Every structure is written in C-alpha cells, then in structure tokens.
Amino acid sequence: MKLSPIEIEEKSMRIIESKIPIELYSEDELLIVKKIIHTTADFSLRKNIVFKEGVIKKAVNNIKSGKDIVTDVFMVKEGISPFLLKNYKGALHCFIREEKVQRTAEKEGITRAEASVRYAFENLKNIGIFAVGNAPTAIFEILRLNKKGMISDDLVVLGFCVGMVGAKEAKKELLKSDIPAILLKGNRGGSPLAATTLNGLLKLAFNK
C-alpha cells in the first residue's frame, strides 16, 4: 500500500520514538530531537543535542512576537518551510552575499560569515533567532559582540556549524556563554540541521 507524505513522516516519527529514551525530553524538546534524527537518519546525534534552559520557550515567544530571524548561509534560509512561515510576521534574512559584507570581509581580513554577523546586528534591532548551520566564525562573532554588550538578552542562537576547524570550539564557547541556545556538540552539524530545528520551532509557535 502506497503511503502519503504525511503518513510516511508519521510512521518515521513513530519508529524514531521507539528507538530513543523519550522520557529524557520535554514534549517540545522531543519534537526537535525527532526532527533532527528524521533529517539525518542518525540516532548517534541525539546524545550531543543540547537545549539550554528555557531556550525553546524564548525562541517560540520571539517567533510569535515577530522578531527577525537571521541565518548565516542561504542553505539554512532555503530550508525553512514556506508553509510554516505563513503565520510568521517577522522577516527572514541572510546577509552573506551583501556587497557591503563582502567589502568588509576583504578590508578587515575576516570571513564573510563574521562580516555578515556584524552587518546583521548593525542594521537590525529586532533579531530574535540567529541560526548558524555552516560557519564557526559566525558563532565566534556573535560571542564577541555579546561580550561587548551588543546582543539583546532575547537572542536565541541555533548552533549547528560544521567542520574540522573551529566548529567544536565555537559550540563549546556558546554553551558556556549566557546566550540561550540549541546546539549540537562536536564537529558535526550543517545547514539541514539548523533549518530543521528552526522548522520545529516554527511548528511549535503556530501549532502546525
């Protein structure tokens, strides 16, 4: 019997639930964990997913109140479900390709990810979520700006940067900081994980 896309997803989620200790998570955390495993088919990631205290509630409130969402790369932005964005009143941004960002990166000898973070916080006053799915330097720059008092207490960071250089360290520092965050410890990560986590938060915000 052929299953519909919805039936396939529901069956997949039941399989995932049967293979993980669901009692370790709140209902909202479990939704995010299941989406990450569903995206990767990798159960080993579960033990490295971290939810800082109160982060889901803060992220959902930011979404409901229409605070802006920024992504480090377009792969994260393009992974956000248009259906889930229908009720979202804020704006979804990615500045990595802005000419001013590229000029700043070249002039100051920094990565475009760092320059795009600076650009975002210089030009937006209402950032609620910053989703990082690629560049460790984006997280390091957020942390630097936070130490300078340039980051709102409301900001939530999704830390899913990936790579052999800096990714593990960036997320370790994010975990130690006072910034509310959902992150995947270690070198692994990627844009699909940042996007699926953001989709999960949108789903929670609008009960989709």
Side-chain angles (χ1 to χ4, degrees):
M1 181 177 66
K2 187 174 181 180
L3 299 176
S4 70
I6 292 177
E7 289 172 328
I8 292 171
E9 182 176 359
E10 289 177 347
K11 184 174 181 179
S12 296
M13 291 303 182
R14 289 196 298 271
I15 292 171
I16 292 169
E17 278 199 26
S18 72
K19 293 179 179 292
I20 63 174
I22 62 174
E23 69 277 1
L24 295 181
Y25 306 101
S26 70
E27 185 177 347
D28 291 346
E29 290 172 345
L30 182 60
L31 182 143
I32 301 294
V33 170
K34 289 193 298 183
K35 287 185 73 66
I36 289 173
I37 295 174
H38 183 246
T39 297
T40 60
D42 188 345
F43 286 87
S44 71
L45 294 179
R46 180 189 65 78
K47 293 182 180 180
N48 288 325
I49 302 170
V50 178
F51 300 91
K52 295 180 79 171
E53 186 175 356
V55 64
I56 292 182
K57 182 178 180 180
K58 180 163 284 191
V60 167
N61 286 341
N62 287 350
I63 291 170
K64 286 182 175 180
S65 62
K67 293 194 174 184
D68 291 338
I69 297 170
V70 183
T71 69
D72 65 328
V73 291
F74 274 91
M75 283 184 68
V76 178
K77 184 180 179 184
E78 293 301 314
I80 308 307
S81 165
F83 172 74
L84 293 172
L85 287 171
K86 283 183 178 180
N87 294 318
Y88 172 57
K89 304 303 181 183
L92 180 60
H93 301 277
C94 181
F95 298 116
I96 197 77
R97 296 176 188 164
E98 293 286 331
E99 283 189 22
K100 186 174 181 180
V101 166
Q102 297 184 44
R103 289 198 302 269
T104 298
E106 292 170 2
K107 180 180 178 181
E108 300 193 20
I110 60 177
T111 67
R112 283 191 299 157
E114 288 173 281
S116 69
V117 169
R118 294 184 193 180
Y119 185 89
F121 285 101
E122 287 171 358
N123 289 275
L124 301 176
K125 304 303 179 185
N126 195 36
I127 303 176
I129 297 177
F130 207 117
V132 180
N134 181 266
T137 54
I139 290 180
F140 281 126
E141 184 62 15
I142 291 171
L143 292 168
R144 187 186 73 83
L145 295 178
N146 185 54
K147 288 180 179 178
K148 294 182 68 175
M150 298 174 64
I151 302 295
S152 166
D153 291 341
D154 289 331
L155 179 72
V156 169
V157 173
L158 307 184
F160 292 90
C161 56
V162 62
M164 304 309 298
V165 179
K168 179 179 179 180
E169 293 78 8
K171 289 179 279 191
K172 186 175 181 180
E173 292 302 311
L174 177 60
L175 187 57
K176 291 194 298 185
S177 77
D178 61 355
I179 299 174
I182 301 171
L183 58 95
L184 181 71
K185 294 188 294 184
N187 297 319
R188 302 174 72 182
S191 298
L193 300 189
T196 201
T197 300
L198 191 45
N199 281 331
L201 293 170
L202 286 162
K203 186 180 181 73
L204 290 171
F206 302 119
N207 297 313
K208 294 295 185 180

